[in-house]
Amino acid sequence: MASFIIRRLIASIFVLFAATFLMYLLTAYSGDPLEDLRQSNAPNKAELMEARTKLLNLDVPPPLRYFLWLGGLFRGDFGISIQGQPVNALLGNAITATLTLVTTATIVAIVLGITVGIVSALRQYTGFDYTVTLISFLFFSLPIFWVAVLLKQYGAIQLNNWLGNPVIAIPVIIGVSIVSGLIWMSLVGGKWRRRLTVFGIAAVATGAVLAFLSATRWFADPSIGIVVYSALALGTAIGVTAISTGLRNRKALYASLIVAVLGIALYFPMMNYILNGMTLWFFVVLAVLAVVVSGVIGWFMGAPDRAPVVRTTAIVGFIVAGFIALDKYMSYWAVYANSSRVRGRPIATVGASTPGLGGNFWVQGIDLYTHLLLPTIAIILISFASYTRYSRASLLEVMNQDYIRTARAKGLTQRTVIVRHAFRNALIPITTIIAFDVGAIVGGAVITETVFGWTGMGRLFVTALGAHDPNPVMAFFVVTGTLAVIFNLIADLVYAALDPRIKVA
């Protein structure tokens, strides 16, 4: 393993050197960095051109100038931009904005896409499968700039108007209830009598919940509360156990329920005392502590086969703790929405934050969420389609393999066949797609960043390329190229972990 990693890293270094050399020459010969000054009418135009020539070493031929740039790169310095700003500072700001925006959207798209794709494969040629296929191709064909503009109009402007008086109209309640019933009916499947029963229950339950939320004006001051939180915690324990180990594993089920009960017991202390005066580092420490404590509970309860129990309780603990954090965020929603800077229009359309907002950790978190909401949805809608199609096709291919039929012939349960055997092997081609997408993640979503006013890696690259500014372009290329190489190496290692037949030596 070590020799494989070393060989790949050495080869990747030579590839990066060759790629950066070619990219530098292409950038240098693509245009004149002095073009704007040549067209200027400034009286000191000659002095400005001479100063920029010395600043960027434009009097040196591009092949030799590359090695001057490379020497600065070895010192951790990406040079100076045409405007005289350090590229390191521009790159730091751009990476922060891009990672905040695109990484969040991509993670959500991967999780949702793989989940929906797997369910679609398991419900092949059903109404749910046809609906997911139609929606996926529809989203895939939509231009993202059009989606972004529609989201700003209806997801921000119209939604902010509605939040001023958050009453759900009766036709909307009826329509959403019918759609919910159809979704649950197609998911559960079975005979028509069973489907109609599921449709009725889901539609009535959805309508009742929406009517309650409308009558109590819940969206004006949202909260989860101890009753709903308890139901969510216990439901999470049962649901995660059913997927992870199966409900027949009583040790995993009891350990997960203990974690859920512990979360319920800590609800009021966390909401009223511990989470007050929160900082980012303390928040991270609490999240790690929740996972560790839950894993310890699983370790003590899971003997002799502890690994699956620890995995299950750690996931349950993370989700249960997340519900408490979500409720704490909700408790500050009214404070944020009615603040002097927001003025009752909380869904943001431009930028990454509200200028001069202030407030505590929770208010700042809500502000970040409201600015991330629309651009994240825009990216998810486009990425979701491809991940859904890839995961569906991969799982269908695996489900037709001989070893899957053998596992079923042995009498293994459907959950064991899918989760332990099929899903693991279906992840191999999906891992390849995710590894290739990393460059696009850090490269930024240029159109989305432009529409929603985010200054990220994509806009940095396009702006620098249009100005024939070589140093920011090379900084962008080095970061994206390095991460692409690293994540392709990680993908190779993941292949070996998913399928022992794959050798990395």
Side-chain angles (χ1 to χ4, degrees), residues 247-271:
L247 296 178
R248 292 182 179 180
N249 190 332
R250 295 300 181 182
K251 293 181 179 180
L253 177 60
Y254 295 151
S256 298
L257 290 174
I258 290 174
V259 172
V261 171
L262 180 62
I264 295 171
L266 291 175
Y267 176 83
F268 286 113
M270 294 290 291
M271 290 292 294

Side-chain angles (χ1 to χ4, degrees), residues 53-77:
T53 300
K54 292 182 178 179
L55 181 68
L56 300 179
N57 297 314
L58 298 179
D59 53 345
V60 179
L64 298 179
R65 197 191 316 157
Y66 166 79
F67 291 99
L68 295 177
W69 171 83
L70 189 62
L73 179 63
F74 285 145
R75 299 190 300 270
D77 183 11

Side-chain angles (χ1 to χ4, degrees), residues 205-243:
T206 302
V209 171
L210 292 178
F212 173 79
L213 297 179
S214 177
T216 58
R217 296 173 56 87
W218 184 85
F219 291 96
D221 189 11
S223 66
I224 295 178
I226 183 61
V227 176
V228 177
Y229 173 78
S230 300
L232 290 174
L234 296 174
T236 298
I238 296 173
V240 171
T241 304
I243 296 174

Side-chain angles (χ1 to χ4, degrees), residues 300-311:
F300 278 108
M301 295 282 295
D305 190 13
R306 290 190 169 98
V309 181
V310 171
R311 178 190 64 220

Side-chain angles (χ1 to χ4, degrees), residues 4 56 62 71 112 124 138-139 141 144 209 238 240 244 246 255-256 263 278 303 312 328 372 384 390 395 413 474:
F4 168 78
L56 300 179
L112 288 179
Q124 188 182 16
L138 177 64
F139 287 162
S141 62
I144 192 168
V209 171
I238 296 173
V240 171
S244 178
S256 298
M278 181 61 61
T312 304
K328 190 66 175 179
L372 279 174
F384 169 82
Y390 282 125
L395 186 62
T413 63
M474 294 306 300

Side-chain angles (χ1 to χ4, degrees), residues 284-341:
V284 174
V285 169
L286 287 178
V288 174
L289 188 62
V291 175
V292 171
V293 171
S294 302
V296 170
I297 293 174
W299 190 86
F300 278 108
M301 295 282 295
D305 190 13
R306 290 190 169 98
V309 181
V310 171
R311 178 190 64 220
T312 304
T313 54
I315 295 173
V316 172
F318 181 79
I319 297 175
V320 168
F323 285 138
I324 294 180
L326 178 62
D327 201 8
K328 190 66 175 179
Y329 275 117
M330 287 182 174
S331 66
Y332 282 93
W333 174 261
V335 176
Y336 170 78
N338 297 322
S339 62
S340 59
R341 293 288 180 176

